[in-house]
Amino acid sequence: MVRHLAVRSRTAGSLAEAKAYVFHVEGTLVDTVLPSVNCWLQTLAEFGQVFRTADVHRFHGMDSEDLLDRLLPEGAARENKEFILAKYRSRWATEVLPTLRAFPGVRELIGELVARGAKIALVSTGGAEEVAHYRTLLGVDDLVEVVVSGEDVARGMPHPDLIAAALDKLGIRQPGDALLVGHSPYDAEAAHAAHMRSVGMLTGLFARADLVNAGSQSVFLDAKSLRQALATPEVAA
């Protein structure tokens, strides 16, 4: 039996001793994955592009423009990309965002890390209003030093822009001193590109193997599981 549903990868370093933790809000701290996939499916169908849930989920966590480039065929469909993005964002803001919930145990996890002396940053691909809503859901503003939104950078995951901005604002000069906590293989790829370690959460509904193969040092069920693991030397080391 594997305690905490943790899976170790090849990457070395203690999970419990990072100086800073960068959390990807969507899918890791707030339950957005299936709502986002369904929003994409509805929006794409309006433009005559029909996909299965698995087709879209495969690229979930990726920058929206990159996601569409992977999904859409060449030609006319790509010419509609800006219209598709605009429709998706409008539907997300008006129909989906008000229904979202934070995952249990987030405040307790972040509080434990802060008590250990770590700095905390939140990163999100959302705009200012969306991020403000997430912050209200999470209720951790008193524990978080830095918040980076999609308005602060040019690209989302798997590009390292969000992470690099967070480390810069935190004053972390050595990326190896920080740890990214994410939910998709694209988070792990972004962390690798930023020369930092990462752990994955199964809240993104990706297979453990996908997260580990993308570079996650360990994989945990959720925030509660990670908090438990940090107190367990054989897992946190």
Side-chain angles (χ1 to χ4, degrees):
M1 180 177 180
V2 181
R3 285 192 70 186
H4 314 304
L5 295 181
V7 179
R8 298 299 302 275
S9 78
R10 298 180 297 275
T11 309
S14 170
L15 302 183
E17 295 178 358
K19 295 180 180 178
Y21 295 82
V22 179
F23 289 87
H24 187 176
V25 173
E26 293 95 334
T28 308
L29 304 182
V30 178
D31 189 0
T32 63
V33 176
L34 286 180
S36 176
V37 170
N38 289 332
C39 190
W40 277 119
L41 290 171
Q42 293 176 51
T43 303
L44 287 163
E46 290 184 13
F47 289 84
Q49 301 296 323
V50 179
F51 296 94
R52 299 172 303 168
T53 297
D55 296 331
V56 177
H57 177 259
R58 178 184 178 188
F59 302 114
H60 188 273
M62 180 179 284
D63 179 86
S64 294
E65 293 199 25
D66 291 345
L67 177 148
L68 287 180
D69 285 340
R70 298 290 188 95
L71 285 175
L72 297 178
E74 298 287 349
R78 289 198 178 182
E79 292 177 5
N80 290 328
K81 188 166 77 169
E82 290 306 314
F83 295 104
I84 295 172
L85 283 170
K87 182 64 177 180
Y88 170 84
R89 288 165 180 159
S90 174
R91 172 175 277 123
W92 180 261
T94 58
E95 299 178 19
V96 183
L97 193 61
T99 71
L100 299 178
R101 298 289 183 271
F103 286 114
V106 169
R107 182 172 176 84
E108 291 79 7
L109 169 61
I110 292 178
E112 171 70 21
L113 295 173
V114 170
R116 291 169 177 261
K119 297 180 178 181
I120 304 296
L122 305 182
V123 299
S124 166
T125 56
E129 291 186 8
E130 184 176 337
V131 171
H133 184 73
Y134 293 147
R135 292 169 72 172
T136 298
L137 291 178
L138 293 169
V140 293
D141 276 2
D142 58 317
L143 302 173
V144 172
E145 293 195 25
V146 166
V147 178
V148 179
S149 78
E151 295 181 5
D152 298 318
V153 298
R155 304 172 298 177
M157 312 298 189
H159 311 286
D161 303 34
L162 284 165
I163 301 170
L167 294 183
D168 183 61
K169 289 186 176 185
L170 285 171
I172 299 294
R173 303 304 173 209
Q174 298 296 328
D177 290 338
L179 186 75
L180 175 72
V181 184
H183 71 286
S184 80
Y186 309 108
D187 289 329
E189 290 177 17
H192 178 75
H195 307 291
M196 66 185 288
R197 296 175 294 136
S198 67
V199 298
M201 299 284 205
L202 294 178
T203 50
L205 308 181
F206 286 93
R208 296 181 183 87
D210 291 338
L211 298 172
V212 173
N213 290 339
S216 295
Q217 177 173 338
S218 302
V219 178
F220 299 93
L221 178 63
D222 53 19
K224 290 181 178 181
S225 176
L226 176 54
R227 185 187 177 207
Q228 280 186 293
L230 288 169
T232 307
E234 66 269 23
V235 177

